[in-house]
Amino acid sequence: MEEVIKINGGKPLNGTIRVSGAKNATVALIPAAVLAYGKVKIVGIPDISDVKSLEEILEYMNVKVTTPNIDEIVIDTTNMVNKPLVIDAVSKLRASYYFMGSLLGKYKHVAIRMPGGCNLGPRPIDLHIKGFEALGAKIEYDNGNYILSADELIGTRIYLDFASVGATINILMAAVYAKGQTIIENAAREPEIIDCINMLNKMGARIRGGGTSNIVIDGVEKLEGCFHEIIPDRIEAGTYIILAAAMGEHVIIDNVIPYHLDSLISKLKEIGVNISFSYDQVEVAKNDKPYESTNVKTMPFPGYATDLQAPLTALLTQAIGNSKITETIYIERFKHCNELNKMGANIITASPSATVVGPTELTGCDVKATDLRCGAALVVAGLIASGTTTIHDIYHIDRGYEDIVAKLSALGADIYREIID
Ligand code: EPZ
């Protein structure tokens, strides 16, 4: 038995689709909340499986987790116990590694299993470890588990060889209780980092420079509980903007922060998408001109997001001409191309680039989500394709897209879940 998503493609999309809270902020905010002595209430939590895994880890550490509403979580660390995190839930998502920074920061000791997550090629955490060691932590490896410990953490200057999102967040969490000042140089600038810093500062942390390449953390004695609302998910928003560009007659994507989407909106305008945005909405209207090919290179924020590379690739199969896609973040992130080619696309991959020869007719068939954003790309392609597309391994999609079937059905898509043998 397996649950799949089926799409009968070719249907025009109309209406408004609302974006949920940001997955990649949520999976940092929940581990960051354990730094507080008291209750942290976070609203805007997306209903995705990664959140369930993190709640399981919290409860394993005797953290009291309540959910007053579907999109709210209250985290109470009063009776928390810093236990070795070697349970299966840790392996379900890469972001469980954020407990390294928060538990090291709070207790000066953490034991945790190697992180899991999407198979995008090598995903080392050497920069995280470099930061923890610079702060004074000792790192040991025991049978696939990391053990981090420190008599005390002393603020210092840490240069990141790559503007890593995860390393930036993990190190700043370890530094909030360190003695003195920590400066993270060549820090990542993603909005999810700013959101995490905003919540920590509400708790009483002293962190400056969020969104810039230099983040300064002045260690404090204690962090209190707080209330925080999560930013909208720019990758979910971008995915829906792309599928609206593919099949929309008139679609409004609601609850976005437009500057988070600058690079995508610019790229879509380049290929000829009729797109406009207002305060917190993006509007996509059908136009009669076919789309033109373009070239895109993924970069750290504010460059073009690697997480929107696969969905854009699906759209570019409909553009006239050859589009070149270059990955600079995950050079092996092209597994979606094989699946799209099964549907009739003509994509030639030679890592770190892929060339999409368009336009091509897409025909529905059985395809497999190899990771979260591949799954998103296959949804875009399934909406475009003639016939029925059956997407397997949809647990990847459920990690990061709340209610995707319901949201797209409301726009007129013929999309549904089915249990098959
Ligand atoms: C975050 O992953 C996101 N995940 C990813 O989204 C996203 O693709 C990525 O940032 C880039 O924007 C979460 O926020 C949970 P990185 P992260 O550290 O932190 C190399 C999705 O689909 N690197 O910025 O793991 C690494 O190999 C997911 O939502 C090191 O070399 O990304 C990669 O090439 C997928 N050493 C590059 O940096 C390190 O210690 C980007 O990694 C850390 C990273």
Side-chain angles (χ1 to χ4, degrees):
M1 305 284 275
E2 178 199 4
E3 186 174 37
V4 296
I5 284 177
K6 291 200 169 197
I7 303 172
N8 295 314
K11 306 288 186 294
L13 305 178
N14 284 284
T16 299
I17 186 166
R18 182 167 175 78
V19 175
S20 304
K23 165 181 94 78
N24 290 347
T26 303
V27 297
L29 294 170
I30 291 175
V34 305
L35 282 160
Y37 290 89
K39 286 185 184 176
V40 174
K41 181 171 185 179
I42 306 174
V43 300
I45 297 268
D47 183 17
I48 54 175
S49 58
D50 274 5
V51 170
K52 307 285 180 273
S53 303
L54 291 170
E55 287 173 356
E56 194 179 324
I57 296 168
L58 289 179
E59 286 166 343
Y60 174 75
M61 291 191 288
N62 204 38
V63 173
K64 189 174 173 207
V65 178
T66 49
T67 48
N69 288 300
I70 180 103
D71 72 340
E72 293 180 5
I73 186 172
V74 179
I75 295 167
D76 182 351
T77 63
T78 307
N79 300 311
M80 179 176 178
V81 177
N82 180 19
K83 297 159 75 172
L85 297 182
V86 293
I87 57 174
D88 290 346
V90 174
S91 306
K92 288 183 179 166
L93 72 158
R94 178 174 168 82
S96 50
Y97 63 21
Y98 286 136
F99 285 108
M100 284 178 163
S102 58
L103 295 175
L104 178 66
K106 187 171 190 178
Y107 297 108
K108 310 295 183 287
H109 181 274
V110 53
I112 185 167
R113 181 182 285 181
M114 287 282 285
C118 288
N119 174 15
L120 307 175
R123 299 186 76 183
I125 62 167
D126 57 307
L127 297 176
H128 304 233
I129 299 301
K130 170 181 175 180
F132 298 145
E133 287 178 325
L135 289 166
K138 185 175 76 170
I139 317 292
E140 295 167 280
Y141 306 90
D142 171 28
N143 189 26
N145 299 320
Y146 285 95
I147 296 159
L148 289 72
S149 56
D151 298 331
E152 61 177 353
L153 296 173
I154 309 285
T156 184
R157 189 180 285 271
I158 298 162
Y159 173 78
L160 293 182
D161 302 79
F162 179 87
S164 156
V165 175
T168 300
I169 292 175
N170 234 343
I171 293 166
L172 71 83
M173 286 201 284
V176 292
Y177 284 132
K179 286 185 173 42
Q181 186 174 85
T182 299
I183 299 173
I184 303 174
E185 295 177 330
N186 194 31
R189 298 167 52 195
E190 274 69 3
E192 293 75 27
I193 296 166
I194 301 171
D195 204 35
C196 189
I197 289 171
N198 288 342
M199 188 184 81
L200 287 167
N201 283 342
K202 287 180 195 174
M203 291 158 58
R206 292 179 56 204
I207 308 172
R208 289 167 285 136
T212 75
S213 299
N214 281 285
I215 297 177
V216 181
I217 306 106
D218 291 308
V220 295
E221 290 297 315
K222 193 168 183 184
L223 298 181
E224 307 293 339
C226 76
F227 171 88
H228 184 74
E229 180 166 12
I230 296 177
I231 57 171
D233 192 316
R234 63 190 169 99
I235 306 302
E236 182 193 15
T239 304
Y240 293 147
I241 292 168
I242 288 169
L243 65 83
M247 295 307 294
E249 282 184 337
H250 184 246
V251 177
I252 292 175
I253 296 88
D254 186 34
N255 190 33
V256 304
I257 298 175
Y259 96 85
H260 287 176
L261 294 156
D262 276 349
S263 56
L264 173 67
I265 290 171
S266 303
K267 205 38 83 174
L268 291 179
K269 283 182 174 174
E270 259 178 44
I271 71 172
V273 176
N274 184 350
I275 189 169
S276 57
F277 56 87
S278 64
Y279 171 65
D280 64 351
Q281 292 187 333
V282 170
E283 199 166 341
V284 177
K286 185 176 173 58
N287 65 7
D288 300 330
K289 282 191 304 151
Y291 295 141
E292 297 293 325
S293 60
T294 186
N295 298 327
V296 63
K297 179 185 277 193
T298 66
M299 296 294 283
F301 191 87
Y304 190 89
T306 175
D307 295 345
L308 289 174
Q309 180 260 105
L312 183 68
T313 302
L315 177 64
L316 291 174
T317 63
Q318 305 307 299
I320 295 175
N322 293 3
S323 298
K324 184 174 181 186
I325 293 149
T326 304
E327 260 290 352
T328 70
I329 310 290
Y330 299 111
I331 60 173
E332 295 179 21
R333 195 174 202 172
F334 293 110
K335 291 187 174 61
H336 50 286
C337 298
N338 302 334
E339 300 303 310
L340 292 171
N341 284 345
K342 285 179 192 169
M343 298 175 70
N346 180 4
I347 307 170
I348 302 103
T349 54
S351 173
S353 296
T355 300
V356 184
V357 179
T360 50
E361 291 284 321
L362 298 184
T363 306
C365 65
D366 281 73
V367 288
K368 189 165 78 161
T370 55
D371 64 76
L372 168 56
R373 307 306 173 181
C374 167
L378 296 174
V379 169
V380 175
L383 292 169
I384 296 168
S386 57
T388 303
T389 299
T390 302
I391 304 174
H392 298 261
D393 291 358
I394 59 171
Y395 61 89
H396 287 294
I397 300 174
D398 290 334
R399 283 190 52 215
Y401 289 92
E402 175 185 288
D403 271 352
I404 189 165
V405 170
K407 288 186 179 183
L408 297 186
S409 300
L411 291 182
D414 182 356
I415 179 172
Y416 54 96
R417 289 171 183 268
E418 188 173 285
I419 306 284
I420 62 170
D421 289 331

